[in-house]
Amino acid sequence: MSLIVNTTINGKTVSASADGSTSLLEFLRDTLEMKGSKLCCNTGECGACTVIYNGKPINSCVTMAADANGAEIITIEGLASGDKLHPVQQAFIDTGAVQCGYCTPGYIMSVKALLDRTTKPTVEDIEEAVSGNICRCTGYNKIVDAIQLAADRISGRA
Amino acid sequence: MEYFEPRSVGDALAILAKHGAEAKVIAGGTDVMVDIKYKEEPGGLVNIKRIPGLGGIQENGGGLRIGALTTIRDLETSALVRSKLPVLWESAHQFASLQIRNTATIGGNICRASPSGETLTPLLVLEAKGKLAFITGEKIEPFTAFFHGPGKSSVGSNGLLTEIEVPYPVAGSRGVYLKHAVRGAMDIAMVGVAVLITPDASKNGLQDVRIGLGAVAPIPLRASKTESLLRGKPLTAALLKEAAATAASESSPISDQRASAEYRRWIVEALTRRGLEQTWKAATGKEVV
């Protein structure tokens, strides 16, 4: 282990060692035992590992753990408060936007980042926000429904 | 594996002078991290992301200076880039996913020296230059001379690209970047074509034409024969056809899992024709007849 990563994850400061070649995803899953962010393609193409890094959605599988130093990271584990789910999580459940569920944490992080930017996303905004997330079950229509429902709820329109 | 996090260009160059042969420079990491997981781990990593002053987009006389660590998303959301360098903006907009655009840097895209690198043909037609730092001093090099082969560029194993200088195109010019890929922006381009034209004062002929071809040769290249064929002439339908065929003949694509060489040549022809037609119409307000 060649470096120490001091970072903030879901509002809590964390300090742990890593190698230069350790990805942020490996750091989260293997070092910190936070298994919510999913390992899938490991090449930055499928979005299952999406986390929010200083306010922006990124693929944690192709980000160095070293770059988490001094950064603020939000993962799927940081969204619910106690038993109360985040509106994006609740909307995915209410619209049935989950099939096998493996892509869901990544989608939810991309959507949270989108709705942090705007609560009135256009269809283009939605498509851009999730174009880096693949649902292998191809349940895309319900995912778009979930995003719209979450946006409506967050902005008080539903 | 050794890990370095230099805090100045000088420190980075000193590390590269010592370890450049086995160490790799890493910035966004969207390519290098994949190599680490799927190919082989380099002997060391030199993370240049903590070097101050290598980011940012600034207007500089008749152009923009873009720091090498500027992310693709920074380019895409820059009003200056969008209004002054729309060809470059289009390539940033069609660059992989939002997640990747938030991480990948323009310097990384350039130094990766992949023939399909999204921003490269726009930089070639804009006649952009790179500021390269070596332990022996700095050097400004046009990108038309920068690429030597897949993964090979003038930075070599011990230099750093610190800044990109992009002059504004002449007033009245119009450009376009056309990408052919199966999965839209998410995919690596099978073919990318950038076209930049400047009409003459009467808008009857092409005063200047620049065409960049991506993913169809060992390096991103300018279609210089096609350019000289077109320069100084009005864009007629017959000339357009000849130019598109010439561009296809200037490419030397390979066959791989994405497309065959033959298919890529057809696409070069189609995108060159489309790019010239679109820019001619936008620049002159006239149809090609």
Side-chain angles (χ1 to χ4, degrees):
Chain A
M1 295 288 166
S2 50
L3 63 125
I4 302 289
V5 179
N6 295 303
T7 184
T8 305
I9 298 176
N10 301 328
K12 288 184 193 128
T13 55
V14 171
S15 183
S17 55
D19 278 322
S21 61
T22 308
S23 70
L24 176 56
L25 181 64
E26 290 162 341
F27 185 72
L28 291 169
R29 289 181 58 87
D30 304 336
T31 308
L32 304 178
E33 300 270 336
M34 296 172 71
K35 308 283 189 185
S37 308
K38 299 303 179 204
L39 169 66
C40 187
C41 73
N42 219 16
T43 59
E45 291 181 49
C46 78
C49 67
T50 303
V51 301
I52 299 178
Y53 176 99
N54 290 339
K56 295 173 178 172
I58 59 148
N59 293 128
S60 61
C61 72
V62 289
T63 300
M64 278 182 286
D67 283 337
N69 242 323
E72 296 224 9
I73 290 154
I74 303 171
T75 70
I76 188 74
E77 289 93 341
L79 294 203
S81 40
D83 288 340
K84 192 166 164 37
L85 294 179
H86 187 276
V88 177
Q89 292 173 303
Q90 194 59 52
F92 269 66
I93 293 171
D94 294 345
T95 54
V98 177
Q99 291 187 44
C100 86
Y102 200 79
C103 69
T104 311
Y107 264 100
I108 288 177
M109 298 317 291
S110 286
V111 175
K112 184 198 184 294
L114 166 70
L115 299 182
D116 286 347
R117 296 195 294 277
T118 170
T119 55
K120 286 181 186 166
T122 61
V123 174
E124 290 76 30
D125 291 337
I126 292 174
E127 284 175 356
E128 180 189 55
V130 295
S131 66
N133 294 79
I134 296 177
C135 169
R136 199 59 280 177
C137 310
T138 68
Y140 292 109
N141 288 340
K142 290 194 172 179
I143 290 171
V144 174
D145 292 346
I147 298 168
Q148 268 150 359
L149 179 62
D152 288 346
R153 284 178 177 167
I154 289 170
S155 62
R157 294 191 299 269
Chain B
M1 191 194 67
E2 285 201 84
Y3 175 74
F4 304 95
E5 216 170 81
R7 299 302 163 113
S8 71
V9 172
D11 285 354
L13 294 174
I15 294 164
L16 288 171
K18 203 171 161 202
H19 302 277
E22 69 280 356
K24 240 182 177 175
V25 173
I26 186 166
T30 56
D31 280 318
V32 176
M33 289 301 280
V34 176
D35 287 349
I36 290 172
K37 305 300 167 195
Y38 287 93
K39 290 179 188 167
E40 64 177 334
E41 210 172 285
L45 278 180
V46 185
N47 182 1
I48 59 168
K49 208 127 81 274
R50 309 258 172 190
I51 300 177
L54 292 190
I57 301 168
Q58 271 151 14
E59 203 156 23
N60 176 38
L64 291 186
R65 286 162 66 146
I66 302 171
L69 291 180
T70 303
T71 65
I72 303 302
R73 183 64 170 171
D74 288 339
L75 289 179
E76 191 192 11
T77 53
S78 157
L80 266 177
V81 173
R82 190 163 190 174
S83 63
K84 305 280 195 176
L85 303 171
V87 192
L88 183 61
W89 181 85
E90 283 172 16
S91 70
H93 186 57
Q94 296 180 63
F95 192 115
S97 67
L98 187 55
Q99 288 98 315
I100 296 292
R101 296 204 289 276
N102 277 332
T103 316
T105 64
I106 185 167
N109 195 233
I110 295 168
C111 292
R112 181 73 174 176
S114 162
S116 61
E118 219 73 75
T119 63
L120 309 185
T121 50
L123 290 172
L124 287 181
V125 300
L126 288 163
E127 301 201 329
K129 294 172 183 166
K131 192 192 260 186
L132 315 183
F134 296 96
I135 210 139
T136 48
E138 273 184 352
K139 185 181 167 191
I140 306 276
E141 185 165 274
F143 288 116
T144 44
F146 179 83
F147 302 104
H148 305 307
K152 293 198 172 68
S153 75
S154 297
V155 287
S157 60
N158 51 19
L160 270 190
L161 171 68
T162 57
E163 202 171 87
I164 296 105
E165 296 176 2
V166 197
Y168 294 148
V170 179
S173 305
R174 289 291 182 277
V176 70
Y177 174 68
L178 301 171
K179 168 180 176 174
H180 185 66
V182 174
R183 216 184 136 200
M186 273 306 289
D187 241 348
I188 293 172
M190 271 183 236
V191 177
V193 173
V195 176
L196 185 72
I197 68 159
T198 311
D200 58 28
S202 61
K203 295 191 175 182
N204 285 323
L206 291 159
Q207 186 181 301
D208 194 17
V209 191
R210 302 176 196 167
I211 300 168
L213 306 178
V216 291
I219 56 168
L221 73 153
R222 287 273 295 271
S224 49
K225 281 183 199 150
T226 315
E227 293 177 358
S228 13
L229 173 72
L230 291 162
R231 209 164 282 134
K233 294 176 193 159
L235 188 63
T236 60
L239 184 61
L240 179 62
K241 198 174 172 199
E242 193 187 348
T246 307
S249 73
E250 283 190 81
S251 69
S252 54
I254 54 163
S255 294
D256 65 10
Q257 74 275 21
R258 273 184 276 278
S260 69
E262 189 188 14
Y263 180 76
R264 281 194 163 99
R265 262 187 226 105
W266 288 339
I267 301 297
V268 170
E269 194 170 341
L271 295 188
T272 303
R273 189 172 53 233
R274 209 173 291 166
L276 284 167
E277 231 173 349
Q278 281 181 20
T279 49
W280 172 262
K281 226 186 258 184
T284 65
K286 293 174 188 167
E287 299 289 330
V288 178
V289 283

